[in-house]
Amino acid sequence: MNHTIYIPLDTSARSLGADAVAAAISAQAASRGVTIRIVRTGSRGAFWLEPLVEVATPSGRIAYGPVQPGDVAALFDCNFLTGGPHPLRLGIAAELDFFRRQERLTFQRVGVIDPLSLEDYLAAGGFRGLDQALAIGRARTLTEVIESGGRGRGGAAFPTGLKWRTAHDAPGADKYLVCNADEGDSGTFSDRMLLEGDPFTLIEGMLIAGYAIGAAKGYIYLRSEYPNAERVLAAAIAAAERHGYLGRRVSTTDFAFEIEIRRGAGAYVCGEETALLESIEGRRGQVRAKPPLPALQGLFGQPTVVNNVISLASVPAILAHGAEYYRDYGVGRSRGTLPFQLGGNIRYGGLVEKAFGLTLRELLYDFGGGSASGRPIRAVQVGGPLGAYLPETLFDTPLDYESFAGVSAMLGHGGIVVFDDTVDMARLARFAMSFCAHESCGKCTPCRIGAVRGVEVIDRILGDRDRPAAIALLRDLCDTMTQGSLCALGGLTPLPVLSALEHFPEDFAIRPRTHAA
Amino acid sequence: MTSSSAAVLQDPPRDVAAAAIAREGHRRDALLPVLHALQDRFGHVPAETIPFIAKALNLSRADVHGVVSFYHEFRTAPPGRHIVRLCLAEACQAMGAPALRAHVEQTLGVGMHETTSDGTVTLEPVYCLGNCACAPSVMIDGETHGRVTAERFDALLAEPRGRS
C-alpha cells in the first residue's frame, strides 16, 4: 500500500527541522520496506505545532506534531501511516480548533496543496477567477474589484480597484504591474507563507490585475531575506509558463503577460512603493515625491499599479465568487478578511485569517493563548516597526482600519508582535528611532536628520538631562517628522515612539544612561 | 576546498560580470541583478568590476558605487567562509534576541559586520527573516533557524565550522 505524507517546506517549518524530519521518515520507511510518497506543502500556519506531519487516511489527513527526527521510529511503531495513536497525534488537521475558527479565503490552499502542482491548484478551485475575468472582460473585472471593497493589504489600505482603474484610464504606451513582496516589517510573514505555500494564487491575481489594467509585464520585487520563497516562486512561474498561463497567449486568448522576479538587497525603505520602483530601475532606493502617482507615472515613467502580495492574492477569490461574497466579510469600510500574523512572545503563534472586526484581545488570547513565557502581556505592536505600541487597556479595539486609526494606531500588514512584562518600552522607542536612522533613504531632512536627533533626545531623557525639556523636544521632533517626511518611514516612526511614551510613561523615568541597541 | 571555491579561482570577476550583463541586458535596470550575480558568486562585489559594469550599462562609476553602497546587503570586501545573520527586529527582541546577540558576539569574539580572525565566520545583523512566530531567528549560510537558544546556536555553528 502506498502512503502519502505531507510535510511543510515553509521556511518556519524548516527553521524548526522539517527537512530533517522528512529525511528521517524517508530513511525509516526504506528500512522497513514501506512505500511512501512525501509531498512538501506550505505551512497551515500553526507554528507551535511545526514540524507538522500529516498522513492521508480514508477519514482525512491526520496530523502529528511537533515532530522531531527522534520521534520518527516511534511513529512508525504506532502505525502513524494509517493514523495510529501516538502522543503527538492531533487529529484531523483541518478540524483543529485553531483552523476551524478561521475564515480562510486567501489562504484556503496554503498548507493543503503541493504548491508546485498545477493539477492540485486546479483541483482546489485554481484559475476560476482568471477564467471569470477573461469571460466578463476588463470593464466588469474592474467593477468587481471596486465593488468588493478590497483595500491594499500592504499597510496603506488604499482601495485596490480604484488604483487599478486609475492606471487603466491613464494614457501610456506600456503599463506595468508590480507586486510588492518586500515584506520587511518585523512580525509579518503572510507574504512569505503565501509565496511558499500557494504561489499560483499570486500568479493568478497578477494575471487578473494585468489583464484589467492593460499591462503585459509584471514584476515581483522580492526581498533577499526570503531565498526559500524565491526558489518556490521561480519554479511556479516556470510551471505556469510551460502550461500556457504565462506568455504570449494566456489561456489561449490574445492576452499576453509575463512575470519577472527582482530581488531586493536588504533596504527596508524599498517596501515603500516609489523607492521600490527606483530599485527595479537599478537606482538607489530613494523615495520619489508624489504626485505624480505611480498609477499615472510609475515604473519607467509609465502607468503602474503597485500592489502587495496579499492584495493581489485576494483577487482570485473575489472574481471566482463575486464581489458580494467577499464584501460580506468584515465591518464598516474594512471589507473581506485579513491574514493576521501572531509573533514575538506568543504561545500559539502563527497565521490567523479572519474577517475584520474581531478584537485584538480575541486574537491574543483565544487564538494566541497568551504569552509564550507565561507572563502577562504588557505591550503589543500592531502593523510592523512603524505601528503603535498598545497597552492592555486598548486590547478590546476591533481589528479594522478605522477603529485602529481612532486610537492613533494602524493595522498595517496585519503583523502583531507581543511583549511580556519584562519589556523595556523606552528601549523599544529608542530602537524605532535608530531603525529609522539606519534605514532612511536620505532624501528628506525630517527623516534623515530627525531620526538621528530622535535617538539623541531619547538618550537625554533616559540620562535625566533636563527631562521635561527633552520630552517636549521629542514630541516637537515627532511632529516635524510626521508632517514633513516624504514617506511612511519618517512619517510613521513617531507612532511607535509616541505611543510608547503615551501608554508606558513609567519606562521613561530616570535611570542610568542606556547603551542598548 | 569545495568545488565552488575552485570555480571562483578560475573565473575572474570581470567574466562573471560580463556573463551577467549578457544575460540581463545592457540597461540600467540590469544593475541590481548583475550585482547580485557577483555577490552570489564571490560573497561581495569585487571593486575591479565597477568600472566595467559602469561602462557596459552606460553609467558613471559614481552611479554604480552609489547603488552598491546604498543597499545594506552588498559587501565590498570578501566575507568569512560562513555568514551568520542574526535577526535584531522587534519580534526577535521580544524573545531574547539581545541576550542571544551578546552570546553570539562573545562566542565568536566579533561584533556586527566583523569576521572572526580565522576567517571562518562573518556576523551581520538582519531586520526580519519572516520567522516571527518562531523567534529568535538566525540565518546561517542562507538557511533560517528558529527558536535559537544559546545552546542551539553553538550546535548550529559547530556543524559548518567543522566542515570548513
Side-chain angles (χ1 to χ4, degrees):
Chain A
M1 187 177 162
N2 194 348
H3 300 281
T4 303
I5 302 174
Y6 301 88
I7 305 172
L9 55 61
D10 172 275
T11 294
S12 284
R14 295 182 64 207
S15 86
L16 301 172
D19 290 355
V21 170
I25 289 176
S26 289
Q28 197 61 233
S31 77
R32 291 174 190 238
V34 186
T35 314
I36 59 165
R37 181 174 77 103
I38 293 181
V39 177
R40 299 301 296 265
T41 61
S43 171
R44 292 181 189 258
F47 290 121
W48 74 98
L49 297 176
E50 294 288 0
L52 185 74
V53 174
E54 296 173 33
V55 293
T57 76
S59 49
R61 281 160 65 165
I62 307 288
Y64 295 81
V67 178
Q68 288 301 306
D71 300 320
V72 170
L75 283 169
F76 274 88
D77 289 343
C78 296
N79 297 315
F80 88 117
L81 291 175
T82 50
H86 183 276
L88 294 177
R89 189 185 191 274
L90 299 161
I92 293 177
E95 291 176 12
L96 293 179
D97 195 44
F98 188 75
F99 303 126
R100 259 202 350 212
R101 286 183 288 139
Q102 301 195 25
E103 290 151 311
R104 292 207 166 185
L105 305 183
T106 308
F107 276 74
Q108 56 179 314
R109 288 177 287 260
V110 175
V112 179
I113 63 166
D114 175 348
L116 292 175
S117 162
L118 265 169
E119 213 172 50
D120 273 21
Y121 185 66
L122 287 163
F127 287 121
R128 280 187 210 157
L130 176 66
D131 291 345
Q132 178 68 5
L134 294 173
I136 62 177
R138 286 197 165 84
R140 280 188 58 201
T141 299
L142 285 170
T143 308
E144 281 293 306
V145 176
I146 290 172
E147 287 184 351
S148 74
R151 293 163 69 179
R153 298 296 191 241
F158 188 84
T160 303
L162 292 183
K163 193 186 271 187
W164 289 16
R165 176 167 279 171
T166 307
H168 170 268
D169 293 347
D174 298 305
K175 293 178 184 178
Y176 293 102
L177 173 69
V178 173
C179 169
N180 184 346
D182 195 44
E183 185 178 52
D185 287 352
S186 175
T188 63
F189 44 82
S190 60
D191 293 357
R192 180 187 61 65
M193 280 183 64
L194 189 108
L195 292 167
E196 294 176 348
D198 190 14
F200 291 128
T201 292
L202 174 64
I203 291 169
E204 184 180 354
M206 288 184 72
L207 281 163
I208 295 167
Y211 172 70
I213 66 173
K217 171 112 192 196
Y219 288 92
I220 299 173
Y221 189 86
L222 178 65
R223 64 198 303 257
S224 59
E225 291 84 349
Y226 287 179
N228 192 45
E230 185 176 333
R231 280 190 291 272
V232 178
L233 184 58
I237 289 171
E241 285 168 351
R242 277 199 308 277
H243 289 85
Y245 285 102
L246 287 171
R248 288 160 76 172
R249 292 176 56 79
V250 171
S251 296
T252 65
T253 66
D254 289 338
F255 169 49
F257 195 74
E258 59 173 34
I259 295 177
E260 185 177 337
I261 302 173
R262 284 300 179 91
R263 197 195 303 166
Y268 175 74
V269 76
C270 288
E272 196 283 334
E273 60 177 3
T274 62
L276 187 156
L277 296 176
E278 290 282 303
S279 187
I280 293 178
E281 291 182 8
R283 302 170 201 278
R284 293 161 68 88
Q286 286 194 305
V287 172
R288 295 176 185 171
K290 286 191 271 192
L293 291 172
L296 299 174
Q297 226 176 300
L299 189 64
F300 307 119
Q302 301 298 314
T304 304
V305 163
V306 186
N307 276 157
N308 168 257
V309 171
I310 304 299
S311 309
L312 289 164
S314 301
V315 168
I318 293 170
L319 267 295
H321 302 292
E324 238 169 80
Y325 171 83
Y326 192 77
R327 198 176 52 211
D328 281 350
Y329 290 91
V331 292
R333 288 172 50 218
S334 305
R335 311 310 312 182
T337 60
L338 188 66
F340 297 99
Q341 301 124 83
L342 278 171
N345 198 332
I346 188 86
R347 191 167 172 203
Y348 304 133
L351 186 114
V352 179
E353 182 175 352
K354 275 296 266 187
F356 291 95
L358 80 162
T359 67
L360 185 53
R361 192 182 301 278
E362 289 174 278
L363 205 48
L364 293 173
Y365 294 97
D366 297 353
F367 283 95
S371 73
S373 62
R375 302 181 68 94
I377 295 176
R378 180 160 181 248
V380 173
Q381 187 176 35
V382 182
L386 306 175
Y389 284 104
L390 302 176
E392 218 258 329
T393 50
L394 291 175
F395 287 179
D396 292 312
T397 310
L399 291 154
D400 67 79
Y401 295 120
E402 279 67 37
S403 296
F404 263 61
V407 297
S408 302
M410 64 162 192
L411 272 191
H413 190 47
I416 292 168
V417 177
V418 180
F419 297 83
D420 71 13
D421 63 350
T422 60
V423 70
D424 177 345
M425 296 307 297
R427 195 173 63 74
L428 286 174
R430 189 187 188 278
F431 176 79
M433 279 293 187
S434 72
F435 184 71
C436 180
H438 186 254
E439 299 295 337
S440 177
C441 82
K443 180 131 175 177
C444 73
T445 315
C447 173
R448 183 184 68 243
I449 307 285
V452 176
R453 296 288 172 258
V455 174
E456 293 168 4
V457 176
I458 293 173
D459 280 345
R460 219 182 294 167
I461 295 169
L462 300 179
D464 194 28
R465 284 169 289 155
D466 202 0
R467 275 184 78 246
I471 287 175
L473 186 61
L474 180 62
R475 290 186 189 280
D476 197 37
L477 178 66
C478 283
D479 187 53
T480 302
M481 289 175 72
T482 304
Q483 306 296 329
S485 298
L486 263 182
C487 83
L489 178 52
L492 290 176
T493 292
L495 210 51
V497 175
L498 291 178
S499 60
L501 187 62
E502 198 66 42
H503 301 305
F504 308 92
E506 62 276 19
D507 284 18
F508 291 78
I510 304 160
R511 61 161 138 190
R513 192 174 173 195
T514 174
H515 290 280
Chain B
M1 183 66 67
T2 64
S3 55
S4 66
S5 46
V8 167
L9 293 178
Q10 286 161 8
D11 288 339
R14 246 186 73 148
D15 291 0
V16 174
I21 291 164
R23 191 177 61 244
E24 302 290 339
H26 289 251
R27 304 194 333 173
R28 166 156 210 147
D29 68 288
L31 183 51
L32 263 80
V34 169
L35 296 175
H36 272 304
L38 285 164
Q39 179 140 322
D40 284 351
R41 189 62 169 273
F42 301 106
H44 72 296
V45 178
E48 67 261 36
T49 61
I50 288 184
F52 176 77
I53 296 168
K55 191 151 188 255
L57 301 185
N58 198 23
L59 302 168
S60 73
R61 276 182 281 171
D63 249 342
V64 177
H65 175 74
V67 169
V68 172
S69 61
F70 179 87
Y71 294 92
H72 301 305
E73 194 163 295
F74 292 131
R75 300 184 199 91
T76 50
R81 286 190 292 285
H82 302 290
I83 294 166
V84 172
R85 306 180 78 190
L86 185 64
C87 181
L88 299 179
E90 288 87 344
C92 285
Q93 289 187 37
M95 290 300 281
L100 182 63
R101 176 187 184 166
H103 171 80
V104 169
E105 291 183 338
Q106 201 194 0
T107 305
L108 296 176
V110 295
M112 288 294 165
H113 301 290
E114 292 175 3
T115 302
T116 54
S117 55
D118 63 357
T120 327
V121 178
T122 294
L123 178 62
E124 294 178 345
V126 64
Y127 295 92
C128 201
L129 294 166
N131 196 31
C132 314
C134 310
S137 301
V138 177
M139 183 184 260
I140 300 177
D141 296 336
E143 292 294 327
T144 299
H145 303 274
R147 292 190 203 130
V148 180
T149 57
E151 298 73 43
R152 190 158 131 81
F153 177 81
D154 294 345
L156 287 169
L157 196 64
E159 196 191 321
R161 282 193 116 173
R163 272 206 312 269
S164 62

